Amino acid sequence: MDMQTSFLDRLFESGLLIDTGVDGLYGRSGQFEDVITAFERLIDRFGGADGAEAMRFPPGMNRALFEKSGYMKSFPQLAGTVHSFCGSELDHMSLLECMEVGEDWTKDQQATDIVLTPAACYPLYPTVAKRGNLPKTGGLFDLQSYCFRHEPSKDPARQQLFRMREYVCMGTEQHVTDFRQRWMDRGVEMMKQVGLDVTIDVANDPFFGRAGKMMVNNQRDQNLKFELLIPITSVAKPTACMSFNYHQDSFGLKWGLNLEDGSVAHTACVGFGLERIALALFHHHGLDVKEWPVSVRKTLWG
Ligand code: ATP
Ligand code: ZN
Ligand code: MG
């Protein structure tokens, strides 16, 4: 009797992913990382001529700015905060006693000024707003960050700490919606070059609770979010490996992002789920990179 080995088990057995004992928290082999590095080079080849300003933020962001972002209104279930021990020696004693007897030792931890970054673009908006008005040509930024989302799962494509590569565009409505369309076309072409069949579909974010239902409907009705989907764990429910988001002027208003003429900037962002893209490649072409089609290897490694 043979139980079907899951994709996650096969990834562990091959060493591509390393089990940490926590669902959605994995180490990765050199081979896995090499695929991500090669795919990022492909992204650079497609986006490099646009002249985006590169910035890299750490996987934690300013808590005050996170609060201002409204993330806790929309996605409280996904957020992760950084807490630390800030007590006295006496408090330390009771902390150790707590640990000793297996009680909750974390309840007296204090919130620090840092929360885990939920999406690569979150630290960008306040940073750009601080500079003053955007030039007539708008703004274009190239980001990559580890992101945290509290969504533990046995699906290897749903991780709790994963990397998102993003391009963010700020400007007029026409400017940023053109940007989004350009990346949808590029996304399809890039995936074709690495031998992956994709579909693009309208999507929504998982807004929390009953009030969230209205946000979901609004987002879908207005085509604010599209996803590029590739079958990984399921053919019926393919996985979002890229997303294309148009925020209208909501981030512009929230953060005070203005254009040279004083009008509020519209923004859009395009995100690549780097682990998901690597997993799609391993799922489709096999766990041994040496066996991948020559054309795919050529696209990735020249
Ligand atoms: P999903 O609908 O699958 O939860 P999402 O809509 O939450 O995806 P975005 O918020 O648009 O995804 O994030 C941008 C990209 O980051 C996604 O297109 C995906 O490729 C990747 N991503 C999102 N959540 C995860 C996760 N838990 N693990 C790995 N990659 C993720
Ligand atoms: Zn974004
Ligand atoms: Mg999600």
Side-chain angles (χ1 to χ4, degrees):
M1 48 153 279
D2 181 66
M3 272 215 335
Q4 212 207 318
T5 320
S6 71
F7 186 44
L8 181 60
D9 288 329
R10 294 199 293 126
L11 289 161
F12 285 160
E13 279 160 23
S14 66
L16 286 165
L17 291 190
I18 302 160
D19 192 359
T20 67
V22 177
D23 290 342
L25 183 73
Y26 308 118
R28 287 139 336 238
S29 71
Q31 182 63 264
F32 192 97
E33 290 303 289
D34 195 29
V35 169
I36 287 191
T37 306
F39 194 86
E40 282 211 84
R41 276 197 305 264
L42 182 63
I43 298 173
D44 294 336
R45 290 210 291 280
F46 274 80
D50 299 348
E53 177 181 346
M55 281 190 219
R56 294 292 179 266
F57 292 95
M61 69 175 283
N62 182 324
R63 174 159 64 94
L65 296 174
F66 169 83
E67 287 162 4
K68 182 167 168 184
S69 79
Y71 195 83
M72 292 307 283
K73 268 193 203 134
S74 298
F75 315 110
Q77 76 281 18
L78 297 176
T81 53
V82 177
H83 283 63
S84 278
F85 171 76
C86 305
S88 64
E89 276 190 71
L90 204 66
D91 297 324
H92 184 216
M93 298 263 288
S94 51
L95 170 98
L96 293 181
E97 268 160 39
C98 247
M99 289 185 94
E100 188 69 37
V101 299
E103 274 170 16
D104 181 10
W105 60 273
T106 62
K107 59 184 190 304
D108 294 325
Q109 301 264 102
Q110 302 290 312
T112 67
D113 290 334
I114 297 173
V115 299
L116 297 175
T117 305
C121 62
Y122 269 65
L124 178 73
Y125 306 105
T127 302
V128 174
K130 256 198 324 214
R131 292 177 172 177
N133 285 5
L134 286 154
K136 220 199 261 69
T137 49
L140 183 63
F141 304 92
D142 163 351
L143 308 169
Q144 199 251 52
S145 176
Y146 260 102
C147 299
F148 175 86
R149 294 184 186 178
H150 186 234
E151 45 186 3
S153 169
K154 294 279 184 205
D155 176 357
R158 188 166 299 287
Q159 306 192 357
Q160 299 200 63
L161 275 161
F162 59 93
R163 278 160 291 177
M164 204 186 285
R165 176 78 182 266
E166 277 200 54
Y167 285 100
V168 182
C169 184
M170 305 176 183
T172 61
E173 168 166 9
Q174 187 67 49
H175 183 81
V176 309
T177 53
D178 285 351
F179 155 87
R180 185 171 72 150
Q181 184 59 51
R182 192 175 321 120
W183 274 108
M184 282 202 249
D185 298 340
R186 284 174 175 174
V188 172
E189 176 58 27
M190 291 171 75
M191 298 308 174
K192 195 167 132 198
Q193 289 189 15
V194 293
L196 295 174
D197 277 331
V198 309
T199 53
I200 288 199
D201 203 358
V202 63
N204 63 268
D205 289 310
F207 293 100
F208 187 76
R210 228 174 324 153
K213 290 233 164 62
M214 270 165 52
M215 308 286 286
V216 166
N217 292 339
N218 176 61
Q219 197 179 27
R220 295 188 84 96
D221 290 347
Q222 300 202 60
N223 287 343
L224 298 182
K225 185 182 184 83
F226 287 94
E227 288 176 339
L228 179 149
L229 304 153
I230 309 177
I232 301 180
T233 342
S234 146
V235 177
K237 281 186 130 199
T239 301
C241 292
M242 287 184 73
S243 73
F244 312 88
N245 308 285
Y246 173 39
H247 316 122
Q248 299 170 302
D249 60 0
S250 61
F251 287 3
L253 283 167
K254 175 175 302 283
W255 295 108
L257 293 163
N258 297 309
L259 303 178
E260 211 169 51
D261 64 4
S263 65
V264 178
H266 285 235
T267 63
C269 70
V270 169
F272 295 81
L274 296 175
E275 284 77 7
R276 284 186 179 180
I277 291 167
L279 289 168
L281 287 164
F282 283 113
H283 188 260
H284 198 76
H285 299 310
L287 299 188
D288 184 354
V289 171
K290 292 193 293 296
E291 312 264 281
W292 289 8
V294 175
S295 65
V296 174
R297 294 170 54 83
K298 210 159 161 224
T299 300
L300 291 174
W301 290 285

